[in-house]
Amino acid sequence: MASKEALTVLEGVGALGVIQGAGSMIAWFGWDKHWGLLGLLDKHVFPTPWWVGLILAVAGLALILRADQLKKTT
């Protein structure tokens, strides 16, 4: 069983993933550049396509929903 604090951290990480991913997708379609951590990755490491932001946002949402599901069972 996960503690309430661990689930809150999981939700926080999920929220950051959603914000980062969605923001990066919006920036990609609006200004043809990534935003935040994906912008640093795109500029300094290797080029990243727009769908990387989508994957990050969906993964973040999945973390939030999983933490919520675990909170209901405890």
Side-chain angles (χ1 to χ4, degrees):
M1 283 265 161
S3 68
K4 295 282 186 187
E5 294 83 17
L7 293 176
T8 302
V9 169
L10 188 63
E11 284 179 325
V13 170
L16 287 175
V18 170
I19 292 167
Q20 170 62 54
S24 188
M25 272 190 351
I26 291 168
W28 179 260
F29 287 118
W31 299 279
D32 199 29
K33 294 185 179 194
H34 282 290
W35 173 77
L37 295 175
L38 287 179
L40 291 174
L41 182 71
D42 188 47
K43 184 175 182 179
H44 298 292
V45 182
F46 55 86
T48 54
W50 67 268
W51 48 262
V52 174
L54 176 65
I55 290 172
L56 187 57
V58 170
L61 184 61
L63 284 175
I64 293 170
L65 293 175
R66 180 65 177 150
D68 188 49
Q69 184 183 35
L70 288 172
K71 277 185 179 180
K72 289 180 182 177
T73 61
T74 57

